[in-house]
Amino acid sequence: MQRTPLIAANWKMNGSAALVEEMVEALTALPLTEQAVVVCPPATLLTHFPASCNFALGGQTLSHEISGAFTGELSADLLQEAGARYVIVGHSERRALNGESDELIAAKLARAVAAGLTPILCVGESATERQQEKTQQVLAQQLDAVYASQPELLAKSVIAYEPIWAIGTGESATPEQAQTTHAFIRQHLARYNTQSAVRVKLLYGGSVNADNFAALFRQADIDGALVGGASLKPAEFAQICLAVTKGAKE
């Protein structure tokens, strides 16, 4: 089945109003659609993007609460009001640095979907877990925590496989390694809903750049990328986005 590809940029705690201008200039020169590219800057920069962008915007996290006395948190409604249509959920840095549990991540994803945001659920294993051949076990646990009790959310999600050992290290999984893991993810998702598993977009993340993305994107179960460091370089990110301008894979 042909799936519409997606490239997502995660700026993390980086960026500026000047970078917003540079990114808008670089991407508006491409024949993109809002279904093909999403940029997730720090929340304070969301309103710096013009409404006429030919790409979508997203948040980097959200609260599982609707509103209330939660200092420093961002609700789904606040993100939407700032222009977001997507939100990253369960990034490994949030899991490790902020102690986000599988249960909390499941609640956040449900809140995002209920509010009309498309969640980009991040899953991935550490170097130690990979060396111990626990990759599939770890991914199954992370996916089960979200979808086993609420499989209807799968049809409204995007899933990004980000091996923790490859994030920001310059080391990326080979196309063959990435495809094997993406195929496992899709097969595991079929346990919840076969049709949704076939249709869901699976992104690869982990030191993605303009040099390695084309080979990754050619893999059958890789539908795009969640891009970190390279998304802070408008010209390089635009090169990666060029891979999606033709729509579905040839």
Side-chain angles (χ1 to χ4, degrees):
M1 176 181 178
Q2 291 184 331
R3 292 173 292 272
T4 305
L6 178 68
I7 304 296
N10 180 13
W11 284 9
K12 305 188 180 184
M13 199 172 69
N14 300 293
S16 63
L19 181 59
V20 169
E21 292 183 8
E22 292 177 32
M23 184 63 73
V24 170
E25 182 179 358
L27 296 186
T28 53
L30 304 179
L32 302 178
T33 69
E34 291 185 1
Q35 290 74 42
V37 175
V38 55
V39 176
C40 302
T44 56
L45 294 177
L46 284 168
T47 56
H48 286 255
F49 288 84
S52 58
C53 287
N54 60 341
F55 53 91
L57 297 175
Q60 296 179 14
T61 187
L62 81 164
S63 173
H64 67 291
E65 301 284 356
I66 296 176
S67 62
F70 304 102
T71 301
E73 293 291 336
L74 286 169
S75 69
D77 287 346
L78 288 172
L79 288 172
Q80 285 182 312
E81 188 173 358
R85 290 177 49 202
Y86 291 78
V87 63
I88 298 171
V89 178
H91 193 280
S92 62
E93 291 161 1
R94 300 288 308 180
R95 294 176 189 260
L97 302 178
N98 297 82
E100 293 193 1
S101 65
D102 286 335
E103 293 73 22
L104 177 60
I105 290 163
K108 287 189 172 194
L109 190 139
R111 176 61 60 201
V113 170
L117 291 171
T118 299
I120 301 174
L121 174 67
C122 297
V123 297
E125 83 284 11
S126 68
T128 299
E129 290 165 339
R130 186 173 186 82
Q131 291 166 1
Q132 295 175 347
E133 299 184 350
K134 292 182 178 179
T135 295
Q136 294 187 358
Q137 176 183 335
V138 170
L139 297 181
Q141 176 183 323
Q142 292 172 341
L143 293 168
D144 288 345
V146 173
Y147 300 114
S149 63
Q150 43 192 5
E152 70 281 358
L153 300 184
L154 178 58
K156 300 179 180 179
S157 302
V158 173
I159 296 173
Y161 167 57
E162 287 203 310
I164 299 171
W165 48 270
I167 298 175
T169 64
E171 180 182 358
S172 180
T174 66
E176 295 75 20
Q177 288 174 328
Q179 166 57 25
T180 296
T181 304
H182 279 68
F184 165 77
I185 291 173
R186 201 175 297 283
Q187 291 164 6
H188 192 79
L189 294 174
R191 298 184 181 186
Y192 316 128
N193 186 293
T194 303
Q195 287 188 333
S196 295
V198 171
R199 295 174 180 172
V200 69
K201 296 175 186 178
L202 301 185
L203 313 183
Y204 174 76
S207 297
V208 174
N209 56 51
D211 293 327
N212 63 21
F213 178 66
L216 289 161
F217 187 55
R218 281 196 292 268
Q219 305 305 307
D221 288 294
I222 298 179
D223 305 312
L226 180 56
V227 186
S231 72
L232 299 172
K233 305 171 184 176
E236 181 171 2
F237 186 66
Q239 281 186 279
I240 297 171
C241 291
L242 281 174
V244 306
T245 59
K246 294 182 180 180
K249 299 182 185 183
E250 299 176 350

